[in-house]
Amino acid sequence: MDTTAQQALHRDQTEPARRRRSLRATLALCLAGLQFVAVLSVTLSTFVSSENALLRQSRISLNEVSVNVIGQVRNFLNPARQVLDATRRLAENDVLDINDTAALESHFFQQLQVAPQLAGIYLADESGRFVYVMRAEEPGRYRTKVIPPFAPEITEHPADFQWRNDRFTLLETADTRTDTYEARTRPWFTMVDAAKAPIWTQPYIFYTTRQPGITYGVPVLDEAGNIRAILGVDIQIDALSGFLLNIWSERRGAALVLNEDGSVLAHPTLVLIDKDADFDNPELPMVDQIDDPLARQAFGTVAQTGRAGITGPVHTDFELGGQDYVAMLIEVSEPGLNWLIGLYAAEDSFIGEIKKNRVQGIWIALSIAILTGAIGLALADRIYAPVRTFASQTQRLSSGEITPEEGLHSPYRELEDTGAALTQEVRQRQRFETAYGRTFDLASRGMAQISPESGRFQRVNAQLCDIMGYQPGELEQMTLAEMLPDDVQQIAVKFRETLLQDSEFIAENQFIRKNGSPIWLRVNAILIRDENGVPDHAVAIVDDVSDRKQAEAEASRLSRDLSHVARVNLMGEMASGLAHELNQPLSAISYNVDAAKITLEEIGDPDPELTQILTDIDRQSRRAGDIIRALREVVRKDRGRQTPFELGGLIRQTVTLMEGEARVHDIGLTCTETALPQVIGNRTQIAQVLVNLLRNAIDALARAPAAASRITITTRITADFVEARVEDNGPGVSANVTLFNTFDTQKSDGMGLGLSICRTIIKANGGTIWHDSEVKSGARFCFTLRRSDSPEDDAP
């Protein structure tokens, strides 16, 4: 073949190849060109339309910030309302005695500790009485001020002061006779007194701290709707301003609180009220007068129009100093407050990065369009086949058709690494499922998988079976409702509703074990959904909290006992005051009888019957005096100290006090006279124990009188103790009553607290108290007290 023919044959063989290469190049150029044009068109249209979108986005962002700020402001103010509303309810329901200054101080102290934004809490009434607990200037210190009642016309009156630390420990006290504070003239008092409803005051200067602030006040009403007292809580303006600074820290923005007339209540950085301003009506600067040009530009119109022109969130866009800003004004929907929250910020604070990213995005999009158009076509046919194979292997691995040991393979390193990672994830998942199963079965706490729809147990561990007393097979055939008492079946309904709302279910309730006994359980459950989002099962952790519930019940019982002791002490103080007041007229009666007898003798030949009457009057008045002196000795105030005292004398005084009550029921009351050593204890508390035991004996004999009803008090001396016994010949103690147990009593109208309190008192005074069960007729109660001459180490 000649050279010309060979060239022609070569031309014929290579022509299709050139045409195929030209077609790929043309397709690549066409794809790149079309992609370039499409990306450019979308980018340009987006650039033109994004200006308004960016502005809307800045407003949306500012609106989201405003919602957060409004919520934070409400959360800042809510404790004031919640504290006073709760205190008012406690006072109106007599749970909190507003006449008990110590109880008020303790309650106010606790509220200040849990609400750090509150400056002080106080109570005042029409008598001028004022109880105030506030934060002192020193960190961790609190100051209490108490003003007793005084007449309105008095300008100077007594006041007591106390300083405590954050553990309520008394650090310092002081008093004055020349205090000039008058609560009845303060704005918060007069406003509540006029409205008879909760109010928020306008800003004013606090009398004590000389700081500007606002007050939330509520009335404490009696059953007839009259005001018994007024409660108030202070919030300082600087605390609110600091709060705004903390929640809004943008470099070129701020949040401030405006009044409805355009005056500024709080600003993150500006001091708005001078301490030397008028106490009750300090002048607030208007928004167009403060030293904040951005705030003046954003909200200056409010100073002219007021709140009348504001019906909802008001957005403002403005430019200052070459910088664009966005602002918003929104109402605070708080009852009693006509406040507006103003927010402003630089537009770039919200969308500056978006603008930069928009320009960068255009160039990136164009570069990607060119690059992908150039190489996409060339790589598509080589990538597609391995990817398709890899995808098929992945599906088979996920469905379990191939094992992780066989692995996923691909000619590309990336896909090979991805296959290895996916295989590792499958192995990890299998290990996790195995570990979860072992953890579930061997957990020290009760665990269960429960159907959220039906409440049926799907899987339980051994610990839960031990708690409930069932075998696993038995428990897995039951539902949650079958383990609940009949009166709390709504717990099962709440379980289903809570979990299906993707909320965590936490409840403590009584359940029924297999043997029928109740048990307190804490159930904590979460919902598990499958890969399609359908509820699959709930995982519940179950803990036995019966011991804790029992401890809480015991703590509640002790609290009630202490409350009863406090009431008894109060009655003792009243009895002591009454005894003091009655002594004077009895003494006058005795003196007048003596004078009458002397007068009769001077007249001569006195009437014997009249003389006998005067003698009886004198004897009875002296007897009344003896009873009153015994009462004063029994209830005299000793501030809870344990000191040496004569038990025999206390027994004689108690017998004198209770003789009248015993005589009404024809009961003989006697005590043996024995020389006793002094004992250590709280004399008033021991007197209360004797009175309780004697009254129990009198009540028992009154319900079931004996032929010759009698009560005898005897004593016995041991090496370290003195033992006292109170014995009666009544019906004795019923077998179904557990003595010294709170609320267990034989009396139809009794509360079951007397013996429980006696036990608590004797134990606190280092002795023991018991019922002598060896007595066959009647009842004998004994208690011991440590002798003052015995070592303390011998105390039981």
Side-chain angles (χ1 to χ4, degrees):
M1 185 179 295
D2 58 6
T3 303
T4 303
Q6 290 178 351
Q7 291 177 350
L9 180 59
H10 178 71
R11 209 168 34 247
D12 293 338
Q13 292 174 346
T14 57
E15 191 72 20
R18 284 199 299 270
R19 284 199 295 269
R20 286 195 297 273
R21 287 195 296 271
S22 298
L23 181 60
R24 291 192 182 96
T26 302
L27 183 58
L29 290 175
C30 290
L31 289 174
L34 289 173
Q35 190 167 3
F36 178 85
V37 172
V39 171
L40 184 60
S41 300
V42 172
T43 303
L44 290 177
S45 63
T46 302
F47 188 89
V48 173
S49 62
S50 62
E51 291 296 328
N52 291 331
L54 291 175
L55 183 58
R56 287 194 301 271
Q57 179 61 37
S58 65
R59 290 184 175 181
I60 291 172
S61 300
L62 188 61
N63 188 63
E64 293 174 350
V65 172
S66 72
V67 171
N68 179 53
V69 172
I70 290 292
Q72 295 285 357
V73 170
R74 289 176 183 164
N75 291 337
F76 184 83
L77 297 176
N78 277 346
R81 186 175 63 253
Q82 293 170 353
V83 164
L84 283 203
D85 289 348
T87 303
R88 173 185 58 79
R89 288 193 295 270
L90 292 175
E92 291 180 349
N93 289 284
D94 293 330
V95 177
L96 174 63
D97 186 0
I98 62 176
N99 295 317
D100 187 345
T101 300
L104 280 176
E105 180 188 14
S106 177
H107 179 76
F108 290 168
F109 176 84
Q110 294 173 5
Q111 301 306 314
L112 287 180
Q113 283 196 316
V114 300
Q117 60 266 55
L118 304 184
I121 309 177
Y122 41 83
L123 175 142
D125 58 24
E126 288 293 341
S127 69
R129 178 171 173 258
F130 182 68
V131 180
Y132 180 30
V133 179
M134 61 172 287
R135 302 181 190 278
E137 295 181 357
E138 301 86 354
R141 283 172 64 99
Y142 298 82
R143 193 191 77 165
T144 301
K145 179 178 182 179
V146 179
I147 299 176
F150 64 94
E153 63 270 16
I154 297 177
T155 58
E156 295 183 348
H157 48 77
D160 295 324
F161 302 89
Q162 296 179 350
W163 284 265
R164 299 180 183 273
N165 61 15
D166 54 5
R167 297 183 178 179
F168 202 63
T169 302
L170 184 63
L171 304 176
E172 182 181 351
T173 61
D175 59 29
T176 180
R177 310 293 296 180
T178 59
D179 192 85
T180 60
Y181 182 79
E182 171 57 86
R184 290 168 289 193
T185 63
R186 301 302 293 158
W188 54 271
F189 191 98
T190 57
M191 291 176 67
V192 175
D193 188 55
K196 291 185 173 55
I199 58 94
W200 283 96
T201 66
Q202 294 293 328
Y204 67 100
I205 304 298
F206 295 153
Y207 182 89
T208 303
T209 63
R210 299 299 194 270
Q211 294 292 332
I214 58 175
T215 294
Y216 178 68
V218 298
V220 178
L221 305 177
D222 59 19
E223 294 179 354
N226 300 318
I227 294 180
R228 295 169 55 196
I230 294 175
L231 293 164
V233 60
D234 289 340
I235 297 178
Q236 292 186 182
I237 291 294
D238 59 353
L240 182 56
S241 299
F243 175 75
L244 293 176
L245 182 62
N246 290 334
I247 65 175
W248 182 263
S249 57
E250 286 290 331
R251 182 167 54 90
R252 289 172 292 176
L256 56 156
V257 179
L258 307 177
N259 213 339
E260 59 180 345
D261 60 355
S263 58
V264 184
L265 295 174
H267 190 282
T269 58
L270 299 180
V271 177
L272 304 173
I273 302 179
D274 189 355
K275 295 181 181 179
D276 298 326
D278 180 65
F279 273 158
D280 296 336
N281 297 291
E283 184 177 352
L284 289 167
M286 303 300 288
V287 68
D288 57 355
Q289 298 173 345
I290 62 176
D291 187 19
D292 186 344
L294 292 174
R296 294 199 304 269
Q297 181 73 16
F299 314 115
T301 55
V302 180
Q304 286 77 36
T305 62
R307 189 176 178 177
I310 299 174
T311 59
V314 177
H315 293 274
T316 305
D317 307 316
F318 63 96
E319 184 270 342
L320 187 65
Q323 175 67 52
D324 292 328
Y325 291 88
V326 289
M328 189 177 72
L329 200 62
I330 189 169
E331 299 172 282
V332 176
S333 57
E334 171 71 20
L337 291 180
N338 297 319
W339 288 4
L340 302 171
I341 298 295
L343 301 170
Y344 67 82
E347 188 178 87
D348 287 346
S349 299
F350 298 106
I351 59 175
E353 291 298 323
I354 298 177
K355 289 181 178 180
K356 294 179 182 178
N357 291 337
R358 182 176 59 172
V359 176
Q360 294 176 357
I362 294 173
W363 289 108
I364 292 174
L366 294 177
S367 301
I368 291 175
I370 295 173
L371 181 61
T372 56
I375 65 176
L377 185 60
L379 297 178
D381 56 340
R382 298 190 60 183
I383 293 176
Y384 178 73
V387 169
R388 182 176 58 187
T389 302
F390 183 82
S392 176
Q393 292 177 346
T394 301
Q395 292 178 352
R396 294 173 63 194
L397 178 63
S398 299
S399 62
E401 295 179 14
I402 61 176
T403 63
E405 286 70 24
E406 295 175 331
L408 299 176
H409 304 286
S410 174
Y412 298 112
R413 184 178 67 254
E414 292 81 359
L415 291 180
E416 186 74 17
D417 294 342
T418 302
L422 182 58
T423 302
Q424 181 63 27
E425 287 294 329
V426 171
R427 292 194 184 98
Q428 184 68 21
R429 184 185 65 183
Q430 292 175 345
R431 287 195 296 268
F432 173 80
E433 290 175 350
T434 301
Y436 170 78
R438 290 183 57 81
T439 302
F440 184 97
D441 293 332
L442 301 178
S444 60
R445 304 167 70 183
M447 295 190 67
Q449 291 182 358
I450 305 174
S451 169
E453 295 288 346
S454 63
R456 183 172 297 279
F457 291 92
Q458 299 174 340
R459 181 181 179 185
V460 296
N461 68 350
Q463 183 64 23
L464 181 59
C465 294
D466 291 341
I467 292 174
M468 300 307 300
Y470 290 94
Q471 294 298 321
E474 297 174 325
L475 203 54
E476 290 172 0
Q477 299 300 318
M478 299 178 64
T479 64
L480 188 66
E482 293 174 354
M483 300 168 59
L484 288 165
D486 294 336
D487 56 342
V488 291
Q489 288 295 311
Q490 69 275 12
I491 297 296
V493 178
K494 183 180 178 182
F495 177 87
R496 177 180 179 276
E497 293 176 349
T498 302
L499 290 178
L500 292 181
Q501 293 174 1
D502 284 331
S503 298
E504 183 181 12
F505 175 85
I506 300 176
E508 288 185 6
N509 206 80
Q510 271 197 340
F511 288 75
I512 305 300
R513 304 179 79 248
K514 182 179 180 180
N515 59 9
S517 62
I519 183 172
W520 276 94
L521 299 179
R522 175 183 173 88
V523 180
N524 189 335
I526 59 173
L527 181 66
I528 305 298
R529 296 180 179 270
D530 61 16
E531 62 274 13
N532 298 319
V534 178
D536 184 64
H537 65 274
V539 176
I541 298 176
V542 182
D543 294 304
D544 182 357
V545 294
S546 300
D547 292 341
R548 178 169 60 81
K549 285 291 183 180
Q550 183 178 358
E552 291 174 354
E554 180 66 13
S556 177
R557 181 189 67 78
L558 293 176
S559 176
R560 289 192 295 270
D561 290 352
L562 291 176
S563 298
H564 183 75
V565 170
R567 290 195 297 272
V568 170
N569 288 338
L570 177 61
M571 292 303 296
E573 293 180 2
M574 293 175 60
S576 179
L578 184 61
H580 175 74
E581 295 298 327
L582 290 177
N583 246 342
Q584 295 181 2
L586 289 174
S587 298
I589 291 172
S590 180
Y591 295 151
N592 289 334
V593 168
D594 290 341
K597 292 171 67 176
I598 294 172
T599 302
L600 288 176
E601 291 175 358
E602 291 177 352
I603 293 175
D605 194 18
D607 185 348
E609 184 177 357
L610 180 58
T611 302
Q612 182 62 38
I613 292 173
L614 291 175
T615 301
D616 290 343
I617 292 174
D618 183 48
R619 184 173 65 256
Q620 294 301 326
S621 66
R622 293 179 184 278
R623 173 173 172 77
D626 292 340
I627 293 174
I628 288 173
R629 281 189 291 274
L631 176 63
R632 293 185 64 184
E633 287 297 319
V634 168
V635 301
R636 68 184 183 186
K637 189 174 182 181
D638 55 11
R639 302 185 182 274
R641 294 172 298 179
Q642 295 184 3
T643 58
F645 69 93
E646 183 184 4
L647 181 61
L650 180 61
I651 291 174
R652 291 191 297 273
Q653 292 164 358
T654 307
V655 168
T656 301
L657 183 64
M658 300 299 293
E659 272 182 341
E661 187 173 343
R663 192 179 301 111
V664 170
H665 299 286
D666 294 328
I667 300 172
L669 179 57
T670 60
C671 64
T672 58
E673 294 288 341
T674 305
L676 301 176
Q678 287 193 333
V679 295
I680 294 292
N682 184 292
R683 192 177 189 275
T684 300
Q685 293 177 354
I686 303 305
Q688 180 182 344
V689 172
L690 286 169
V691 170
N692 282 354
L693 294 178
L694 288 174
R695 182 162 287 119
N696 284 347
I698 292 172
D699 290 344
L701 288 169
R703 290 195 307 272
S709 300
R710 67 178 183 277
I711 302 173
T712 306
I713 303 178
T714 58
T715 55
R716 187 170 66 91
I717 304 172
T718 66
D720 300 313
F721 297 92
V722 175
E723 179 183 326
R725 300 176 178 178
V726 178
E727 184 174 355
D728 64 74
N729 61 342
V733 178
S734 176
N736 59 357
V737 174
T738 303
L739 294 176
F740 305 103
N741 191 23
T742 306
F743 306 123
D744 219 343
T745 179
Q746 292 181 229
K747 304 177 186 178
S748 60
D749 57 349
M751 296 180 63
L753 293 175
L755 288 178
S756 174
I757 293 174
C758 290
R759 178 186 61 183
T760 302
I761 291 175
I762 293 299
K763 184 177 180 181
N765 283 270
T768 56
I769 184 170
W770 69 93
H771 169 249
D772 191 348
S773 59
E774 296 181 357
V775 176
K776 303 302 180 183
S777 176
R780 177 191 294 166
F781 287 89
C782 311
F783 67 87
T784 61
L785 293 172
R786 183 167 47 85
R787 294 173 52 172
S788 62
D789 55 358
S790 67
E792 290 193 14
D793 292 340
D794 295 332

